Structure formats: structure tokens, C-alpha cells
Amino acid sequence: MPMKKGYKELLAEANARIQAITPQEALSLHGDPDVVFVDIRDPRELTRDGMIPGAFPATRGMLEFWVDPDSPYHKPVFASGKRFVFYCASGWRSALATDTVQSMGLENVCHLEGGFKGWKEAGLPIATVERKDG
């Protein structure tokens, strides 16, 4: 049975509604105290590949619950009023995530075009992530 809407259509719709920034544009925001980079990759990806220094790790599966102030899982960073730059490995998950949190009412959000891969290929700084046991 064919899908009613495939991932390519979902991504096209999301990208039409959200702002994407290049790695160079992201670098100009990096270190700004009013900007939070949000890494939505799986913890195994962070340990294996590293992350943008200072990024807030928020796995994709919990993102909506962490963003919503009415959720018992809410993370205060998402109520800070700061600008958020979401990223994943290549920009697909972060496009969908940015679209979702924007539709929830989180303002001043964008995502990193090309994701962590684009950041890394541009030769930008990477922090190592230690594996958390237990």
C-alpha cells in the first residue's frame, strides 16, 4: 500500500515553513549567549561523532515533551526566550523537528542546513562526547 505522504513530501512542506541557515551563518551565531544550538541526534551518534561545542542535547523522541511547558518532562531552556538552532546528522530530522516546535509555538527557531555533517565538512569546531554508562 503506498504511503499517503512520504518523507520527501514531509520534508518539502517543512522546509517551506521554516528557516534554514548555512554552517557559516550558524558559526556567526555560535557563542552568542542568546542562541542555543539543539542537537537532536541519538546519544550514540553524539558519542561516536561529537557535537557542536555547547549544544544542548535533546533527543528527537522527547523533543515535544521537553518543549511544552505543560509537560512533566519540560526543560526550562525551551522557555528561555532565546533563539534555537536545531540540527541532526544531515538536516532531515532537524527540519521536521523545527517545523514541529514552530507549530507548537516556539518562536525564533531555525535549523542547520546540512546538519552536523555540513558543520563538520566546513571544518568548524567539534566537541567530543563521553559515553554515559548506566
Side-chain angles (χ1 to χ4, degrees):
M1 175 191 280
M3 300 293 302
K4 290 182 180 181
K5 190 182 290 189
Y7 78 94
K8 290 179 184 177
E9 190 174 355
L10 289 171
L11 284 170
E13 290 173 357
N15 281 313
R17 291 187 290 259
I18 63 172
Q19 178 189 14
I21 62 172
T22 67
Q24 291 304 323
E25 290 169 321
L27 180 61
S28 73
L29 298 173
H30 191 253
D32 182 327
D34 292 323
V35 176
V36 178
F37 281 73
V38 181
D39 192 322
I40 64 165
R41 295 176 299 150
D42 181 274
R44 291 177 297 251
E45 292 174 276
L46 304 182
T47 303
R48 182 186 67 219
D49 302 325
M51 66 190 298
I52 294 174
F56 181 79
T59 59
R60 178 65 188 96
M62 289 299 293
L63 188 60
E64 292 85 348
F65 303 102
W66 287 12
V67 167
D68 185 347
D70 291 332
S71 165
Y73 301 104
H74 175 68
K75 299 290 185 189
V77 67
F78 292 111
S80 67
K82 295 183 179 189
R83 181 173 187 184
F84 295 94
V85 179
F86 290 87
Y87 73 93
C88 62
S90 62
W92 292 4
R93 288 175 285 177
S94 60
L96 296 174
T98 301
D99 188 43
T100 298
V101 299
Q102 185 171 276
S103 73
M104 292 174 70
L106 194 62
E107 298 178 353
N108 209 5
V109 297
C110 62
H111 91 109
L112 178 58
E113 191 175 88
F116 184 72
K117 180 181 178 191
W119 177 273
K120 188 175 180 179
E121 287 174 353
L124 301 177
I126 296 171
T128 58
V129 177
E130 297 297 321
R131 182 176 168 204
K132 294 181 181 177
D133 292 321

Short mmCIF file of all heavy atoms in Angstrom, two decimals, residues 20-81:
data_model
loop_
_atom_site.label_atom_id
_atom_site.label_comp_id
_atom_site.label_asym_id
_atom_site.label_seq_id
_atom_site.Cartn_x
_atom_site.Cartn_y
_atom_site.Cartn_z
N ALA A 20 16.19 27.85 7.30
CA ALA A 20 17.42 27.05 7.34
C ALA A 20 18.60 28.01 7.25
O ALA A 20 18.55 29.00 6.50
CB ALA A 20 17.45 26.06 6.19
N ILE A 21 19.63 27.74 8.02
CA ILE A 21 20.84 28.56 7.95
C ILE A 21 22.03 27.69 7.57
O ILE A 21 22.06 26.50 7.89
CB ILE A 21 21.10 29.33 9.27
CG1 ILE A 21 21.33 28.38 10.45
CG2 ILE A 21 19.97 30.30 9.56
CD1 ILE A 21 21.78 29.07 11.73
N THR A 22 22.99 28.28 6.89
CA THR A 22 24.18 27.56 6.46
C THR A 22 25.13 27.37 7.65
O THR A 22 25.01 28.09 8.66
CB THR A 22 24.92 28.35 5.37
OG1 THR A 22 25.44 29.56 5.95
CG2 THR A 22 24.01 28.65 4.18
N PRO A 23 26.09 26.47 7.52
CA PRO A 23 27.08 26.34 8.59
C PRO A 23 27.81 27.66 8.89
O PRO A 23 28.06 27.97 10.05
CB PRO A 23 28.04 25.27 8.05
CG PRO A 23 27.16 24.41 7.20
CD PRO A 23 26.22 25.38 6.53
N GLN A 24 28.11 28.45 7.88
CA GLN A 24 28.79 29.73 8.12
C GLN A 24 27.89 30.71 8.86
O GLN A 24 28.35 31.44 9.74
CB GLN A 24 29.29 30.33 6.79
CG GLN A 24 30.43 29.53 6.17
CD GLN A 24 31.63 29.34 7.10
OE1 GLN A 24 32.01 30.23 7.87
NE2 GLN A 24 32.23 28.17 7.04
N GLU A 25 26.60 30.73 8.52
CA GLU A 25 25.66 31.58 9.26
C GLU A 25 25.53 31.10 10.70
O GLU A 25 25.47 31.90 11.63
CB GLU A 25 24.29 31.57 8.58
CG GLU A 25 24.26 32.30 7.25
CD GLU A 25 22.98 32.07 6.47
OE1 GLU A 25 22.46 30.93 6.47
OE2 GLU A 25 22.50 33.04 5.85
N ALA A 26 25.52 29.77 10.87
CA ALA A 26 25.44 29.20 12.21
C ALA A 26 26.68 29.56 13.03
O ALA A 26 26.58 29.89 14.21
CB ALA A 26 25.27 27.69 12.14
N LEU A 27 27.84 29.53 12.39
CA LEU A 27 29.07 29.87 13.10
C LEU A 27 29.01 31.30 13.62
O LEU A 27 29.49 31.57 14.73
CB LEU A 27 30.29 29.70 12.17
CG LEU A 27 31.64 30.03 12.81
CD1 LEU A 27 31.92 29.12 14.00
CD2 LEU A 27 32.75 29.94 11.77
N SER A 28 28.39 32.20 12.86
CA SER A 28 28.29 33.59 13.32
C SER A 28 27.39 33.71 14.56
O SER A 28 27.50 34.69 15.31
CB SER A 28 27.78 34.49 12.20
OG SER A 28 26.42 34.29 11.96
N LEU A 29 26.52 32.74 14.78
CA LEU A 29 25.65 32.73 15.96
C LEU A 29 26.26 31.97 17.13
O LEU A 29 25.87 32.15 18.28
CB LEU A 29 24.31 32.09 15.62
CG LEU A 29 23.46 32.77 14.56
CD1 LEU A 29 22.25 31.92 14.22
CD2 LEU A 29 23.04 34.15 15.02
N HIS A 30 27.22 31.08 16.82
CA HIS A 30 27.81 30.22 17.84
C HIS A 30 28.52 31.05 18.90
O HIS A 30 29.29 31.95 18.58
CB HIS A 30 28.78 29.22 17.20
CG HIS A 30 29.21 28.15 18.12
ND1 HIS A 30 30.47 28.10 18.65
CD2 HIS A 30 28.55 27.10 18.63
CE1 HIS A 30 30.58 27.06 19.44
NE2 HIS A 30 29.42 26.42 19.45
N GLY A 31 28.23 30.78 20.14
CA GLY A 31 28.84 31.51 21.24
C GLY A 31 28.01 32.70 21.71
O GLY A 31 28.30 33.27 22.75
N ASP A 32 26.98 33.05 20.95
CA ASP A 32 26.08 34.13 21.37
C ASP A 32 25.26 33.61 22.56
O ASP A 32 24.61 32.57 22.46
CB ASP A 32 25.16 34.51 20.21
CG ASP A 32 24.22 35.66 20.51
OD1 ASP A 32 23.78 35.80 21.68
OD2 ASP A 32 23.89 36.40 19.58
N PRO A 33 25.25 34.32 23.69
CA PRO A 33 24.52 33.82 24.86
C PRO A 33 23.00 33.76 24.67
O PRO A 33 22.32 33.12 25.45
CB PRO A 33 24.90 34.81 25.97
CG PRO A 33 25.38 36.03 25.26
CD PRO A 33 25.94 35.58 23.94
N ASP A 34 22.50 34.41 23.62
CA ASP A 34 21.07 34.39 23.35
C ASP A 34 20.69 33.35 22.29
O ASP A 34 19.55 33.36 21.79
CB ASP A 34 20.58 35.77 22.91
CG ASP A 34 20.65 36.77 24.06
OD1 ASP A 34 20.37 36.37 25.21
OD2 ASP A 34 21.01 37.93 23.82
N VAL A 35 21.62 32.47 21.95
CA VAL A 35 21.37 31.42 20.95
C VAL A 35 21.71 30.07 21.56
O VAL A 35 22.77 29.90 22.17
CB VAL A 35 22.23 31.65 19.68
CG1 VAL A 35 22.03 30.51 18.68
CG2 VAL A 35 21.89 33.00 19.03
N VAL A 36 20.79 29.11 21.37
CA VAL A 36 21.02 27.75 21.85
C VAL A 36 21.02 26.81 20.65
O VAL A 36 20.04 26.75 19.90
CB VAL A 36 19.91 27.30 22.84
CG1 VAL A 36 20.14 25.86 23.29
CG2 VAL A 36 19.85 28.23 24.04
N PHE A 37 22.12 26.10 20.47
CA PHE A 37 22.17 25.05 19.46
C PHE A 37 21.59 23.80 20.11
O PHE A 37 21.97 23.46 21.24
CB PHE A 37 23.62 24.81 19.02
CG PHE A 37 24.13 25.82 18.03
CD1 PHE A 37 24.43 27.11 18.45
CD2 PHE A 37 24.28 25.49 16.70
CE1 PHE A 37 24.88 28.06 17.55
CE2 PHE A 37 24.73 26.44 15.79
CZ PHE A 37 25.03 27.72 16.22
N VAL A 38 20.67 23.14 19.41
CA VAL A 38 19.99 21.96 19.96
C VAL A 38 20.30 20.77 19.08
O VAL A 38 19.91 20.73 17.91
CB VAL A 38 18.47 22.18 20.07
CG1 VAL A 38 17.80 20.95 20.67
CG2 VAL A 38 18.15 23.42 20.88
N ASP A 39 21.00 19.80 19.63
CA ASP A 39 21.39 18.59 18.91
C ASP A 39 20.34 17.52 19.17
O ASP A 39 20.19 17.05 20.29
CB ASP A 39 22.75 18.11 19.40
CG ASP A 39 23.36 17.04 18.51
OD1 ASP A 39 22.61 16.18 18.01
OD2 ASP A 39 24.59 17.07 18.32
N ILE A 40 19.59 17.15 18.14
CA ILE A 40 18.50 16.18 18.33
C ILE A 40 18.90 14.76 17.94
O ILE A 40 18.05 13.87 17.87
CB ILE A 40 17.23 16.61 17.56
CG1 ILE A 40 17.46 16.62 16.06
CG2 ILE A 40 16.73 17.94 18.07
CD1 ILE A 40 16.19 16.68 15.25
N ARG A 41 20.18 14.53 17.74
CA ARG A 41 20.63 13.18 17.39
C ARG A 41 20.57 12.25 18.60
O ARG A 41 20.53 12.68 19.74
CB ARG A 41 22.05 13.23 16.82
CG ARG A 41 22.13 13.98 15.50
CD ARG A 41 23.55 14.11 14.99
NE ARG A 41 24.34 14.86 15.97
CZ ARG A 41 25.65 14.69 16.17
NH1 ARG A 41 26.32 13.80 15.46
NH2 ARG A 41 26.27 15.41 17.06
N ASP A 42 20.62 10.98 18.29
CA ASP A 42 20.65 9.92 19.30
C ASP A 42 21.96 10.02 20.10
O ASP A 42 23.00 10.35 19.52
CB ASP A 42 20.56 8.57 18.56
CG ASP A 42 20.54 7.41 19.48
OD1 ASP A 42 21.64 6.93 19.87
OD2 ASP A 42 19.45 6.94 19.82
N PRO A 43 21.92 9.71 21.40
CA PRO A 43 23.15 9.77 22.19
C PRO A 43 24.31 8.96 21.61
O PRO A 43 25.47 9.35 21.74
CB PRO A 43 22.72 9.21 23.55
CG PRO A 43 21.27 9.53 23.64
CD PRO A 43 20.75 9.40 22.23
N ARG A 44 24.01 7.85 20.95
CA ARG A 44 25.09 7.06 20.33
C ARG A 44 25.78 7.84 19.23
O ARG A 44 26.99 7.72 19.04
CB ARG A 44 24.54 5.74 19.78
CG ARG A 44 24.09 4.78 20.87
CD ARG A 44 23.49 3.53 20.26
NE ARG A 44 22.31 3.86 19.50
CZ ARG A 44 21.06 3.55 19.85
NH1 ARG A 44 20.84 2.87 20.94
NH2 ARG A 44 20.05 3.89 19.11
N GLU A 45 25.02 8.66 18.49
CA GLU A 45 25.62 9.50 17.45
C GLU A 45 26.54 10.56 18.06
O GLU A 45 27.61 10.85 17.52
CB GLU A 45 24.54 10.19 16.63
CG GLU A 45 23.71 9.26 15.77
CD GLU A 45 22.57 9.99 15.08
OE1 GLU A 45 21.51 10.16 15.73
OE2 GLU A 45 22.76 10.41 13.92
N LEU A 46 26.12 11.11 19.19
CA LEU A 46 26.93 12.13 19.86
C LEU A 46 28.26 11.55 20.32
O LEU A 46 29.31 12.15 20.13
CB LEU A 46 26.18 12.71 21.06
CG LEU A 46 24.81 13.32 20.82
CD1 LEU A 46 24.25 13.89 22.11
CD2 LEU A 46 24.84 14.36 19.74
N THR A 47 28.20 10.36 20.92
CA THR A 47 29.40 9.70 21.40
C THR A 47 30.32 9.34 20.24
O THR A 47 31.53 9.53 20.31
CB THR A 47 29.04 8.44 22.21
OG1 THR A 47 28.18 8.81 23.28
CG2 THR A 47 30.28 7.76 22.76
N ARG A 48 29.74 8.84 19.17
CA ARG A 48 30.52 8.40 18.02
C ARG A 48 31.13 9.57 17.25
O ARG A 48 32.30 9.53 16.86
CB ARG A 48 29.65 7.57 17.09
CG ARG A 48 30.38 7.01 15.86
CD ARG A 48 29.44 6.33 14.90
NE ARG A 48 28.56 7.33 14.31
CZ ARG A 48 27.25 7.12 14.06
NH1 ARG A 48 26.70 5.95 14.34
NH2 ARG A 48 26.52 8.06 13.52
N ASP A 49 30.34 10.64 17.02
CA ASP A 49 30.76 11.69 16.09
C ASP A 49 31.12 13.03 16.74
O ASP A 49 31.68 13.89 16.08
CB ASP A 49 29.63 11.95 15.07
CG ASP A 49 29.27 10.71 14.30
OD1 ASP A 49 30.16 9.89 14.00
OD2 ASP A 49 28.07 10.55 13.98
N GLY A 50 30.75 13.22 18.00
CA GLY A 50 30.95 14.51 18.64
C GLY A 50 29.75 15.40 18.38
O GLY A 50 28.74 14.99 17.81
N MET A 51 29.86 16.66 18.81
CA MET A 51 28.76 17.60 18.64
C MET A 51 29.29 19.02 18.55
O MET A 51 30.47 19.26 18.81
CB MET A 51 27.75 17.46 19.78
CG MET A 51 28.29 17.86 21.15
SD MET A 51 27.21 17.44 22.55
CE MET A 51 25.75 18.38 22.21
N ILE A 52 28.44 19.94 18.20
CA ILE A 52 28.83 21.35 18.18
C ILE A 52 29.07 21.76 19.64
O ILE A 52 28.22 21.50 20.51
CB ILE A 52 27.73 22.20 17.52
CG1 ILE A 52 27.60 21.83 16.03
CG2 ILE A 52 28.04 23.69 17.68
CD1 ILE A 52 26.45 22.51 15.30
N PRO A 53 30.20 22.38 19.92
CA PRO A 53 30.51 22.76 21.31
C PRO A 53 29.39 23.60 21.93
O PRO A 53 28.88 24.54 21.32
CB PRO A 53 31.80 23.57 21.18
CG PRO A 53 32.43 23.08 19.92
CD PRO A 53 31.28 22.76 19.00
N GLY A 54 29.00 23.22 23.15
CA GLY A 54 28.00 23.96 23.89
C GLY A 54 26.56 23.65 23.51
O GLY A 54 25.64 24.22 24.10
N ALA A 55 26.35 22.76 22.55
CA ALA A 55 24.98 22.43 22.13
C ALA A 55 24.23 21.72 23.26
O ALA A 55 24.83 21.02 24.08
CB ALA A 55 25.00 21.56 20.88
N PHE A 56 22.92 21.91 23.26
CA PHE A 56 22.05 21.24 24.23
C PHE A 56 21.55 19.95 23.58
O PHE A 56 20.91 20.00 22.54
CB PHE A 56 20.87 22.16 24.56
CG PHE A 56 19.92 21.57 25.57
CD1 PHE A 56 20.22 21.58 26.91
CD2 PHE A 56 18.72 21.00 25.15
CE1 PHE A 56 19.34 21.03 27.84
CE2 PHE A 56 17.84 20.45 26.07
CZ PHE A 56 18.15 20.46 27.42
N PRO A 57 21.84 18.80 24.17
CA PRO A 57 21.36 17.53 23.59
C PRO A 57 19.90 17.28 23.95
O PRO A 57 19.53 17.31 25.12
CB PRO A 57 22.28 16.48 24.22
CG PRO A 57 22.74 17.08 25.51
CD PRO A 57 22.72 18.58 25.32
N ALA A 58 19.08 17.09 22.93
CA ALA A 58 17.64 16.83 23.13
C ALA A 58 17.21 15.80 22.11
O ALA A 58 16.94 16.15 20.96
CB ALA A 58 16.84 18.12 22.97
N THR A 59 17.17 14.56 22.50
CA THR A 59 16.83 13.52 21.53
C THR A 59 15.49 13.80 20.87
O THR A 59 14.55 14.28 21.50
CB THR A 59 16.80 12.13 22.18
OG1 THR A 59 15.83 12.13 23.22
CG2 THR A 59 18.15 11.73 22.72
N ARG A 60 15.41 13.49 19.60
CA ARG A 60 14.22 13.77 18.81
C ARG A 60 12.96 13.17 19.44
O ARG A 60 11.89 13.77 19.41
CB ARG A 60 14.42 13.24 17.37
CG ARG A 60 13.23 13.42 16.45
CD ARG A 60 12.96 14.89 16.19
NE ARG A 60 11.74 15.11 15.47
CZ ARG A 60 10.56 15.40 16.02
NH1 ARG A 60 10.46 15.51 17.33
NH2 ARG A 60 9.49 15.59 15.29
N GLY A 61 13.07 12.01 20.02
CA GLY A 61 11.91 11.33 20.57
C GLY A 61 11.27 12.03 21.76
O GLY A 61 10.10 11.81 22.05
N MET A 62 12.01 12.88 22.45
CA MET A 62 11.48 13.57 23.62
C MET A 62 11.25 15.06 23.37
O MET A 62 10.74 15.76 24.25
CB MET A 62 12.43 13.41 24.81
CG MET A 62 12.46 12.02 25.41
SD MET A 62 10.85 11.49 26.05
CE MET A 62 10.62 12.59 27.44
N LEU A 63 11.57 15.53 22.20
CA LEU A 63 11.59 16.97 21.95
C LEU A 63 10.28 17.67 22.26
O LEU A 63 10.27 18.68 22.98
CB LEU A 63 12.01 17.25 20.50
CG LEU A 63 12.24 18.71 20.16
CD1 LEU A 63 13.35 19.31 21.02
CD2 LEU A 63 12.57 18.85 18.69
N GLU A 64 9.17 17.18 21.76
CA GLU A 64 7.88 17.84 22.01
C GLU A 64 7.56 17.91 23.49
O GLU A 64 7.01 18.90 23.97
CB GLU A 64 6.75 17.11 21.27
CG GLU A 64 6.82 17.22 19.76
CD GLU A 64 7.72 16.20 19.07
OE1 GLU A 64 8.50 15.51 19.76
OE2 GLU A 64 7.67 16.11 17.84
N PHE A 65 7.92 16.88 24.23
CA PHE A 65 7.65 16.84 25.67
C PHE A 65 8.56 17.81 26.42
O PHE A 65 8.16 18.39 27.42
CB PHE A 65 7.82 15.42 26.20
CG PHE A 65 6.93 14.43 25.50
CD1 PHE A 65 7.44 13.59 24.52
CD2 PHE A 65 5.57 14.37 25.78
CE1 PHE A 65 6.61 12.70 23.86
CE2 PHE A 65 4.74 13.48 25.12
CZ PHE A 65 5.27 12.65 24.15
N TRP A 66 9.79 17.97 25.95
CA TRP A 66 10.73 18.89 26.59
C TRP A 66 10.37 20.35 26.29
O TRP A 66 10.62 21.23 27.11
CB TRP A 66 12.15 18.59 26.15
CG TRP A 66 12.72 17.34 26.75
CD1 TRP A 66 12.06 16.37 27.44
CD2 TRP A 66 14.08 16.93 26.71
NE1 TRP A 66 12.93 15.37 27.82
CE2 TRP A 66 14.18 15.69 27.38
CE3 TRP A 66 15.22 17.47 26.15
CZ2 TRP A 66 15.37 15.02 27.53
CZ3 TRP A 66 16.42 16.79 26.30
CH2 TRP A 66 16.49 15.58 26.99
N VAL A 67 9.80 20.61 25.11
CA VAL A 67 9.46 21.97 24.72
C VAL A 67 8.20 22.47 25.41
O VAL A 67 8.12 23.63 25.82
CB VAL A 67 9.30 22.05 23.17
CG1 VAL A 67 8.66 23.36 22.74
CG2 VAL A 67 10.65 21.88 22.49
N ASP A 68 7.21 21.61 25.59
CA ASP A 68 5.91 22.01 26.13
C ASP A 68 5.99 22.29 27.63
O ASP A 68 6.28 21.41 28.43
CB ASP A 68 4.90 20.89 25.87
CG ASP A 68 3.48 21.26 26.28
OD1 ASP A 68 3.27 22.26 26.99
OD2 ASP A 68 2.56 20.52 25.88
N PRO A 69 5.72 23.55 28.04
CA PRO A 69 5.80 23.87 29.47
C PRO A 69 4.76 23.14 30.32
O PRO A 69 4.92 23.06 31.54
CB PRO A 69 5.57 25.39 29.52
CG PRO A 69 5.04 25.78 28.19
CD PRO A 69 5.38 24.70 27.21
N ASP A 70 3.73 22.60 29.70
CA ASP A 70 2.73 21.84 30.46
C ASP A 70 3.10 20.37 30.65
O ASP A 70 2.41 19.64 31.36
CB ASP A 70 1.35 21.92 29.77
CG ASP A 70 0.77 23.32 29.84
OD1 ASP A 70 1.08 24.06 30.80
OD2 ASP A 70 0.00 23.68 28.93
N SER A 71 4.18 19.96 30.03
CA SER A 71 4.62 18.57 30.13
C SER A 71 5.42 18.33 31.40
O SER A 71 6.20 19.19 31.82
CB SER A 71 5.51 18.22 28.92
OG SER A 71 6.22 17.02 29.14
N PRO A 72 5.25 17.17 32.03
CA PRO A 72 6.08 16.87 33.20
C PRO A 72 7.56 16.72 32.85
O PRO A 72 8.40 16.70 33.73
CB PRO A 72 5.49 15.56 33.74
CG PRO A 72 4.76 14.96 32.59
CD PRO A 72 4.31 16.08 31.72
N TYR A 73 7.88 16.64 31.57
CA TYR A 73 9.27 16.47 31.11
C TYR A 73 9.88 17.77 30.60
O TYR A 73 10.99 17.78 30.08
CB TYR A 73 9.34 15.41 30.02
CG TYR A 73 8.82 14.08 30.48
CD1 TYR A 73 7.57 13.63 30.09
CD2 TYR A 73 9.57 13.28 31.33
CE1 TYR A 73 7.08 12.41 30.53
CE2 TYR A 73 9.10 12.06 31.78
CZ TYR A 73 7.85 11.63 31.37
OH TYR A 73 7.37 10.43 31.81
N HIS A 74 9.15 18.88 30.74
CA HIS A 74 9.60 20.18 30.21
C HIS A 74 11.01 20.53 30.69
O HIS A 74 11.36 20.33 31.85
CB HIS A 74 8.63 21.27 30.66
CG HIS A 74 9.06 22.65 30.27
ND1 HIS A 74 9.10 23.09 28.97
CD2 HIS A 74 9.52 23.68 31.02
CE1 HIS A 74 9.53 24.33 28.94
NE2 HIS A 74 9.79 24.71 30.17
N LYS A 75 11.80 21.07 29.77
CA LYS A 75 13.14 21.57 30.08
C LYS A 75 13.11 23.09 30.02
O LYS A 75 12.75 23.67 28.99
CB LYS A 75 14.18 21.03 29.09
CG LYS A 75 14.30 19.52 29.07
CD LYS A 75 14.92 19.01 30.34
CE LYS A 75 15.13 17.50 30.25
NZ LYS A 75 15.53 16.92 31.49
N PRO A 76 13.48 23.77 31.09
CA PRO A 76 13.40 25.24 31.15
C PRO A 76 14.13 25.97 30.03
O PRO A 76 13.75 27.07 29.66
CB PRO A 76 14.00 25.57 32.51
CG PRO A 76 13.78 24.34 33.33
CD PRO A 76 13.90 23.19 32.36
N VAL A 77 15.16 25.37 29.47
CA VAL A 77 15.89 26.04 28.38
C VAL A 77 14.94 26.45 27.26
O VAL A 77 15.12 27.49 26.62
CB VAL A 77 17.05 25.17 27.85
CG1 VAL A 77 16.54 23.92 27.14
CG2 VAL A 77 17.94 25.98 26.91
N PHE A 78 13.89 25.66 27.03
CA PHE A 78 12.98 25.95 25.93
C PHE A 78 11.99 27.07 26.26
O PHE A 78 11.26 27.52 25.39
CB PHE A 78 12.26 24.68 25.49
CG PHE A 78 13.20 23.71 24.83
CD1 PHE A 78 13.53 22.52 25.45
CD2 PHE A 78 13.77 23.99 23.60
CE1 PHE A 78 14.41 21.62 24.86
CE2 PHE A 78 14.66 23.11 23.00
CZ PHE A 78 14.98 21.92 23.63
N ALA A 79 12.00 27.54 27.50
CA ALA A 79 11.17 28.68 27.90
C ALA A 79 12.03 29.92 28.12
O ALA A 79 11.57 30.91 28.66
CB ALA A 79 10.39 28.35 29.17
N SER A 80 13.26 29.87 27.65
CA SER A 80 14.23 30.94 27.92
C SER A 80 14.05 32.16 27.03
O SER A 80 14.63 33.21 27.31
CB SER A 80 15.65 30.40 27.74
OG SER A 80 15.87 30.06 26.36
N GLY A 81 13.29 32.04 25.94
CA GLY A 81 13.13 33.15 25.02
C GLY A 81 14.31 33.33 24.08
O GLY A 81 14.37 34.30 23.32
#
